[in-house]
Amino acid sequence: MDRFKQYFPILSWGRAYNRTALSNDLIAAVIVTIMLIPQSLAYALLAGLPPEAGIYASIVPIMLYAVFGTSRALAVGPVAVVSLLTASAIGQVVEQGTAGYAAAALTLAFLSGTFLVIMGLFRLGFLANFLSHPVISGFITASGILIAASQFKHVLGVSAEGHSLLELGASLISHLHETNLITLAIGVFGIGFLFWVRKGMKPALRALGLNARLSDILTKAGPVLAVAATTGLAWGLNFEDKGVDLVGAVPQALPPLTLPDWSPEIIRALFIPAVLISIIGFVESVSVSKTLAAKKRQRIDPDQELIGLGAANLGAAFTGGYPVTGGFARSVVNFDAGAETPAAGAFTAIGLAIAAVSLTPLVYFLPKATLAATIIVAVLSLVDFSILKSTWRYSKSDFLAVAVTIILTLGLGVEVGVASGVILSLLLHITKTSKPHIAEVGLVPGTHHFRNILRHEVETSPSLLTLRVDESLYFANANFLESLVLDRLARDGDDIRDIVLMFSAVNDLDYSAMETLEALDARLKGMGVRLHLSEVKGPVMDKMRSSHFLEALSGKIYLSQFDAWDALTTAQAVD
């Protein structure tokens, strides 16, 4: 039964569900639903899909996540970065606005969902750790700029294309003379109003005497006010006849049953983008859910999160949606509104379903400039150039990775940017571990502790060299250790008769590293130097016992570094 609960977390929190949780979840669902209606329409626009696709992608996927997900507050649905990646991936395969484009979006969601579920079943959630936080921050910052730039065509009321900042900028400039002034006025008003909503609306409402709870709810509903106001103006002043681009007719229906495009050509073309979208979406989602869970001393299971997000994407693939993940803004709103269980997401889905069958006719006159303003204000909060300053002060290699990711994303597009981010993260890991920190240590007087001779006043012996290896050894860094030891002997090792490798920080040893240690011991033996090890951990010792290393070792294995020091310096004194 416990195994069954592992894959269906709803069986755990559902059994303890009570009236208080129901009340809190319903309140949170109302607030998030109000927020999601304009946001879902806007993100579908960003993905190059009909506006209803955003609502469809926010109904069944949320319900499936409520069954399979482990986060109590994560709100799943379309998000800005994934929407941009969707548009970029499909736009290179199928022409936007065609039936094939929507079908390709379903295929992308299906591939993404399948990949996530497979990773979850094989418990591969740890692979996301290979994406470094600075690289992800750089990618999201650049993506935020690209997303905002891509929406200025709707603010200006002109046509513009391009996958990079330079292409978008050049296209916008070339069409600048076609600007629709009414559309521009709507866009500028929307951006200004929504920025004020974020910064000034709540204090203004509090100043009018409203309590904190009501002020917070009205502030969250700010985008809906912008939508209502501009829709009313567009209808009353007949903006449609004045060249203002409107959302137009939206089907008044629940999500339809749909099938992805199974053609081999589409699957081949979208497979790699689907993998990249899955990884980026998972990293963003897990980061948000871990942060929110920690605030309530809860925990999430990253492997089960893969299954939950995979199920959500599969649901989107068969109900007219496109790839989804956990969104930062809506999850924080869901958490702050008091959501206690994933049932809040299910109630949100019900609210969106009601909106899909009853409110969609009201958005016919909604200007696309308003939705563009919603996206611009939302994504600019993702832009954080402070990561450049932080990484410059902390690590030049991290700074270089962030800077390259930002430049490539802006200059060559999001697909190149995210691929470069993955590659850079792996290169950073390999680079850092290929040259592990190895310190020459000595005995701190009056203690049994050993510290770096360059940082502390310690005792050393001219005939004994002790090196502390501060990294697990594997094929990429074992030769570095060998070269360091031999270089040290060649430089000033005439008096050295014993070398001790302190393995207190070595947690693993692969076969290549074992062979390198055997070769090093053989070379040292030929030079009249014995090789010893100290503080070897159990799992590492087990691997050594399975090889011939211990039998051929010229020296000994010591339980502690002090034991090695005591035995070898005493023996040298006797000699």
Side-chain angles (χ1 to χ4, degrees), residues 435-489:
K435 294 183 179 180
H437 182 260
I438 299 175
E440 184 173 343
V441 297
L443 178 66
V444 178
T447 74
H448 288 190
H449 300 293
F450 289 78
R451 292 292 184 267
N452 192 327
I453 65 171
L454 300 178
R455 296 176 180 270
H456 302 271
E457 292 293 333
V458 293
E459 296 177 8
T460 60
S461 170
S463 59
L464 175 63
L465 172 65
T466 297
L467 299 174
R468 189 188 67 222
V469 183
D470 292 335
E471 182 75 59
S472 293
L473 296 175
Y474 70 116
F475 64 91
N477 65 12
N479 286 331
F480 177 81
L481 170 63
E482 181 183 26
S483 297
L484 186 143
V485 172
L486 296 176
D487 289 346
R488 174 69 173 80
L489 286 175

Side-chain angles (χ1 to χ4, degrees), residues 102 131 156 186 250 257 513 534 537 540:
L131 279 173
L156 298 172
I186 293 171
V250 176
L257 292 176
S534 72
K537 294 183 177 179
V540 177

